[in-house]
């Protein structure tokens, strides 16, 4: 199923059951997705460049470069600079479902760039500018300043 440093990449029965339960997908579908993930990422890990290609494919005609690093941070839960299949599947599920509180916690984590438990004005400004760049609507410098001034 792929290897890294001679170590076989595989899903344990426990991994499979947990992913199936958390995602609502059947185990055979998770195995198919895992095999596809390994075909695209033989080491079992997706690096930033491959993630950029995936995001660019999912959002064609959008400048996703700036947003991609924020989204990558969410997927890379162990902060090793790579996205493993389990991380990918868990975030895929987490971003598609959950209570309002869980969704808000995930959004907070995206805004809290340095993971210090607070969102500074600088972090908020940077993320909003990056979002505007993806959406290409209006002048982010003026609009961001107005939005932050109104909410402060």
């Amino acid at each position: 199923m792929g290897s890294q440093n001679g170590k076989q990449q595989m899903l344990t029965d426990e991994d499979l059951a947990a992913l199936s339960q958390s995602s609502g997908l059947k185990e055979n579908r998770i195995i198919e997705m895992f095999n596809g993930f390994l075909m695209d990422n033989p080491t079992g890990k997706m690096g930033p460049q491959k993630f950029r290609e995936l995001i660019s494919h999912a959002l064609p005609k959008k400048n996703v470069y700036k947003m991609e690093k924020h989204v990558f941070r969410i997927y890379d839960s162990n902060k090793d600079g790579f996205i493993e299949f389990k991380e990918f599947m868990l975030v895929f599920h987490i971003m598609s479902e959950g209570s309002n509180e869980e969704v808000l916690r995930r959004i907070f984590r995206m805004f809290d760039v340095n993971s210090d438990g607070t969102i500074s004005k600088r972090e908020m400004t940077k993320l909003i500018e990056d979002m505007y760049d993806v959406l290409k609507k209006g002048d982010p410098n003026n609009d961001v300043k107005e939005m932050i001034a109104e909410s402060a």
Side-chain angles (χ1 to χ4, degrees):
M1 283 196 185
S3 65
Q4 181 181 2
N5 300 330
K7 186 177 177 182
Q8 188 75 11
Q9 295 293 320
M10 57 185 287
L11 286 176
T12 64
D13 290 340
E14 293 81 18
D15 292 337
L16 197 53
L19 289 171
S20 178
Q21 181 179 1
S22 67
S23 69
L25 297 172
K26 295 193 182 295
E27 290 185 2
N28 61 345
R29 178 65 182 130
I30 293 171
I31 292 169
E32 289 173 14
M33 293 173 75
F34 179 70
N35 290 334
F37 185 88
L38 285 180
M39 286 183 73
D40 292 339
N41 306 282
T43 64
K45 296 183 175 194
M46 179 187 301
Q49 177 63 35
K50 194 72 164 180
F51 186 73
R52 182 177 301 121
E53 292 170 15
L54 178 71
I55 294 291
S56 294
H57 182 70
L59 298 170
K61 300 180 184 177
K62 299 283 184 185
N63 181 1
V64 295
Y65 175 72
K66 291 181 179 180
M67 281 304 298
E68 152 236 317
K69 63 187 170 196
H70 298 296
V71 177
F72 189 89
R73 255 187 322 103
I74 292 172
Y75 277 89
D76 183 19
S77 60
N78 66 1
K79 300 186 186 330
D80 67 352
F82 295 93
I83 299 170
E84 297 168 15
F85 180 75
K86 288 181 253 186
E87 291 172 318
F88 183 80
M89 285 298 295
L90 289 173
V91 172
F92 174 79
H93 168 68
I94 287 169
M95 292 308 242
S96 63
E97 290 188 17
S99 70
N100 290 341
E101 185 174 332
E102 291 168 332
V103 171
L104 288 174
R105 285 183 194 275
R106 290 187 295 274
I107 292 169
F108 182 89
R109 187 172 163 216
M110 186 178 348
F111 279 78
D112 184 15
V113 175
N114 63 2
S115 301
D116 67 353
T118 62
I119 301 171
S120 69
K121 183 177 177 180
R122 183 181 198 169
E123 288 171 320
M124 180 68 75
T125 301
K126 178 68 175 141
L127 190 61
I128 292 172
E129 286 173 348
D130 291 350
M131 287 174 156
Y132 261 86
D133 197 35
V134 170
L135 298 174
K136 296 285 188 197
K137 293 182 180 177
D139 179 1
N141 294 320
N142 293 331
D143 294 342
V144 167
K145 289 175 187 170
E146 288 175 22
M147 288 173 68
I148 292 174
E150 288 174 11
S151 63

